[in-house]
Amino acid sequence: MRRDRSYIRVLNRAACSAAVLVLLVPALPVAAQPDAVDLEALLRRIEQLERTVAGQQAVIDELRRKLEPGAAPTEATPDAAAAELERRLAEELGVTPAPAAPSVAPPPGTLIRDASGRNYLNLSLDGLVTAGTSSEPDVPGLQPGSHDPSRRGFTVQNVEVVLSGAVDPYFTGQANIIFVESPEGETEVEVEEVYVTTSSLPGNLQVRAGHFYSEFGRHNTQHPHFWDFVDQPLAAARMFGGDGLRSSGARLSWLMPTPFYSELFLAVQNAFGETLPGFGSVGGEELFGRVLGERGVRTAGDLLYVPRWAASFDLTPNQALLVGASAALGPNATGNAGTTELYGFDAFWKWKSPRAIQGFPFVKLQAEGFERRYRADQPFQRFSDHGAYGQVVWGFTRGWTVGARYGEIGGDDGGVAGVPGFEDRWRASANLTWFPTEYSKLRLQYNHDGRELLEDADSLWLQLEFILGAHAAHKF
């Protein structure tokens, strides 16, 4: 009996610890109008607390099994185990247990399994389909992005399946599997991103490893369903390629101990592949008039290094400003001495009405500028090009936004003047978007392209998006 009572005391302490942690989660202070950067940090903290509670639950289950060594193992759910534990503790203390709360079904797309700890998987599907036309028959030449509308008529821009969740108390994981339609109508399926991220490192440090988008500026890390326009900016397509700058590697980030949000990033990734134009790229491609070869990794100098600094400032209770500076430094495939340097600056400002209803009305401004310095080998030559864009989006009433964007690209052509697709050009865009709910949208966009070598072009696109399942939140 003494042995049983000692187990009961241990159970009491463990249950109290778990209860305190559970009560702390809803009591965490949240500002009346937090910015999304603080919300992301709060969500990370809540996840850590949930994992700790799950660990406490595992200890309680183990102690309960020891208390009743002859009991047969059961497949009780976490809620049933908690109810049984509450009943036993109430009997020990001589009090009447509280009535059980009605069970609540898990959210759509979320799978929960009680093992050694609590593992879960968020599953979602996002579809983007566009219909429209252009005065330019060569739509792929006009729209350089891989997820841009690629032809007159209908285009499946992107179908994305996202799997994300907690691996264990130390890692979270995510995979993005996409389906797109080529300009020729062929089906293309690929794993766009797959990586794990640490969740419990000390000193505000975080490590990511796998295949992921390089954190350069704002637009490069955004998936198509998060864009404010039907297509990506010309400058992003020129500097990062149609698929965006991404590769396999690892990234370290440090949330600095400053009174405002300030974070440093450093990614080290492979510098070769089809998603790395301007660096290792793929043999046979052409850039600045040079046909690229193939270059593997022999030393640390053959890798791609992507440092970034980002900061956020609350200008007023209803205004926030984010700024960032990025670079990408690595080799190119013109020879052993070929190097590429890419630099960028980005800024984002948002105002939200103090009387906002579901986030409306609001105004947000975003701008990015890029410069690329390309050192070609065999023979030695230097080239440079640049690009920039600016955009504004006004959410004038609940569920409705209007947007405008202007962008341009230019610079050296490598002595291949007269080749469409690498000439100086600009684009002005305007759109109107309706969000029936947070799971769907309709967007109508008009583009006017001014080109140095070809006639100007006008395009009109109508885009539909739908989301199934629970999609993770995006950065502010």
Side-chain angles (χ1 to χ4, degrees):
M1 186 61 184
R2 285 184 180 178
R3 182 171 176 269
D4 290 349
R5 289 186 178 275
S6 65
Y7 279 126
I8 290 293
R9 286 195 295 271
V10 174
L11 278 171
N12 283 332
R13 289 196 295 269
C16 290
S17 299
V20 169
L21 286 169
V22 171
L23 291 173
L24 279 176
V25 173
L28 288 173
V30 179
Q33 292 179 329
D35 59 46
V37 174
D38 293 335
L39 181 58
E40 184 180 5
L42 181 59
L43 289 173
R44 288 183 184 174
R45 179 58 179 155
I46 291 175
E47 288 180 358
Q48 292 175 356
L49 290 174
E50 287 177 341
R51 295 189 190 97
T52 304
V53 172
Q56 293 279 6
Q57 181 64 49
V59 172
I60 293 171
D61 292 342
E62 179 63 24
L63 290 174
R64 184 161 55 84
R65 285 191 291 270
K66 290 182 179 179
L67 183 62
E68 298 180 357
T74 63
E75 295 294 330
T77 64
D79 290 340
E84 175 65 15
L85 178 61
E86 182 180 359
R87 185 185 66 80
R88 290 178 178 274
L89 292 175
E91 290 178 356
E92 175 69 17
L93 296 174
V95 298
T96 302
S103 60
V104 179
T110 302
L111 307 176
I112 301 178
R113 179 174 182 270
D114 185 36
S116 56
R118 182 170 293 184
N119 302 322
Y120 64 88
L121 172 66
N122 290 325
L123 176 64
S124 70
L125 182 144
D126 184 282
L128 280 175
V129 182
T130 301
T133 187
S134 175
S135 62
E136 170 58 62
D138 181 18
V139 177
L142 184 70
Q143 301 279 165
S146 295
H147 299 285
D148 293 351
S150 60
R151 56 191 172 190
R152 294 169 172 171
F154 294 89
T155 301
V156 177
Q157 287 183 265
N158 195 62
V159 177
E160 179 183 51
V161 176
V162 181
L163 301 94
S164 64
V167 178
D168 53 33
Y170 310 104
F171 296 98
T172 61
Q174 179 166 319
N176 297 68
I177 303 169
I178 64 167
F179 159 90
V180 295
E181 225 178 351
S182 71
E184 297 76 28
E186 297 178 353
T187 300
E188 299 176 359
V189 179
E190 66 174 322
V191 179
E192 191 172 52
E193 290 191 282
V194 55
Y195 57 82
V196 294
T197 305
T198 61
S199 55
S200 57
L201 288 184
N204 293 330
L205 295 173
Q206 186 185 75
V207 173
R208 174 173 294 176
H211 188 87
F212 53 88
Y213 279 104
S214 306
E215 285 185 288
F216 192 114
R218 289 189 59 83
H219 181 84
N220 186 61
T221 57
Q222 295 177 354
H223 292 262
H225 64 267
F226 191 63
W227 296 352
D228 290 316
F229 291 80
V230 169
D231 42 22
Q232 65 175 316
L234 291 175
R238 176 76 169 257
M239 299 297 166
F240 305 133
D243 285 307
L245 191 68
R246 58 185 169 92
S247 187
S248 302
R251 184 220 69 186
L252 174 68
S253 66
W254 177 43
L255 185 61
M256 303 172 68
T258 57
F260 55 91
Y261 167 78
S262 181
E263 193 165 8
L264 288 173
F265 303 85
L266 177 61
V268 181
Q269 298 171 276
N270 288 335
F272 56 87
E274 61 181 357
T275 57
L276 292 156
F279 295 95
S281 196
V282 176
E285 292 191 355
E286 186 173 313
L287 186 64
F288 292 108
R290 296 295 192 86
V291 177
L292 305 178
E294 295 184 0
R295 180 169 176 175
V297 178
R298 296 164 299 175
T299 67
D302 293 320
L303 295 170
L304 175 67
Y305 298 88
V306 186
R308 172 169 171 77
W309 171 75
S312 171
F313 308 92
D314 292 328
L315 304 180
T316 70
N318 302 305
Q319 297 183 67
L321 173 67
L322 284 78
V323 295
S326 309
L329 313 170
N332 62 51
T334 59
N336 293 335
T339 60
T340 300
E341 300 173 3
L342 181 60
Y343 301 97
F345 176 80
D346 58 275
F348 177 83
W349 172 84
K350 184 173 183 178
W351 168 85
K352 184 174 67 176
S353 169
R355 294 177 294 277
I357 300 175
Q358 295 184 358
F360 291 85
F362 68 86
V363 177
K364 59 182 181 180
L365 302 173
Q366 179 173 315
E368 291 191 71
F370 311 96
E371 182 183 6
R372 178 166 51 188
R373 301 173 185 175
Y374 194 82
R375 173 176 169 169
D377 193 16
Q378 299 177 4
F380 172 78
Q381 283 181 288
R382 291 184 184 272
F383 305 103
S384 67
D385 59 346
H386 56 268
Y389 74 90
Q391 64 186 47
V392 57
V393 176
W394 174 31
F396 58 92
T397 190
R398 186 168 61 180
W400 289 88
T401 69
V402 293
R405 182 179 69 191
Y406 176 81
E408 61 180 32
I409 52 177
D412 295 333
D413 54 25
V416 290
V419 177
F422 208 75
E423 78 276 23
D424 294 354
R425 55 181 295 196
W426 58 271
R427 173 182 293 166
S429 305
N431 67 28
L432 174 67
T433 306
W434 175 45
F435 298 87
T437 69
E438 61 180 301
Y439 300 104
S440 62
K441 77 181 177 196
L442 281 169
R443 173 170 290 156
L444 181 65
Q445 179 170 314
Y446 165 75
N447 288 346
H448 179 80
D449 285 87
R451 298 179 289 180
E452 179 185 23
L453 303 175
L454 301 173
E455 293 183 358
D456 291 1
D458 297 284
S459 308
L460 188 65
W461 308 110
L462 178 63
Q463 183 186 66
L464 167 67
E465 178 190 15
F466 62 92
I467 300 175
L468 303 175
H471 200 283
H474 291 271
K475 285 188 175 182
F476 181 59

